[in-house]
Amino acid sequence: QVQLVESGGGLVQPGGSLRLSCAASGFTLDYYTIGWFRQAPGKEREGVSCIGSSDGSTYYADSVKGRFTISRDNAKNTVYLQMNSLKPEDTAVYYCAADFGLFRLCVPRGYNTWGQGTQVTVSS
């Protein structure tokens, strides 16, 4: 069964950090571009960061550049999103998703395998 499972979400104060994990089962991440997306209440799902398959090319939304870092560990079949200097506006459900092949776009419609999401809440 092809599956992505996110973990690492939670409640954190502004300025704090979290590391999200996206673990794959039933398939090998090596050949997939992986994206992190988020959806806040009343807003559309948006691309946060994506990492390509073979060349590891990365994309970051302007709102998270310099604060978030995406990485992949193919040996563990896992992709991570390190989130530092968190802001209240980062509060959302965070999803990881997979797209077979090289990186193209970091938009939801390009990805066809999704995890169930993990809640991130930034609040004092």
Side-chain angles (χ1 to χ4, degrees), residues 24-121:
S25 61
F27 69 106
T28 302
L29 284 182
D30 300 39
Y31 307 108
Y32 288 79
T33 290
I34 304 299
W36 283 99
F37 302 86
R38 66 187 181 187
Q39 188 165 19
K43 294 188 177 181
E44 292 187 356
R45 193 169 297 188
E46 62 175 354
V48 175
S49 182
C50 294
I51 186 166
S53 54
S54 59
D55 64 356
S57 55
T58 57
Y59 161 89
Y60 295 94
D62 287 343
S63 59
V64 306
K65 280 181 183 176
R67 300 188 298 121
F68 291 10
T69 303
I70 192 170
S71 62
R72 63 192 302 155
D73 185 338
N74 288 343
K76 294 184 178 179
N77 222 26
T78 301
V79 172
Y80 304 97
L81 185 68
Q82 178 66 43
M83 305 187 297
N84 299 328
S85 302
L86 283 161
K87 304 175 180 180
E89 52 263 43
D90 294 317
T91 295
V93 178
Y94 283 70
Y95 301 88
C96 67
D99 177 34
F100 184 79
L102 299 175
F103 171 72
R104 286 168 288 197
L105 295 173
C106 198
V107 295
R109 69 176 182 272
Y111 294 73
N112 52 28
T113 300
W114 289 80
Q116 82 290 349
T118 185
Q119 177 70 47
V120 171
T121 302

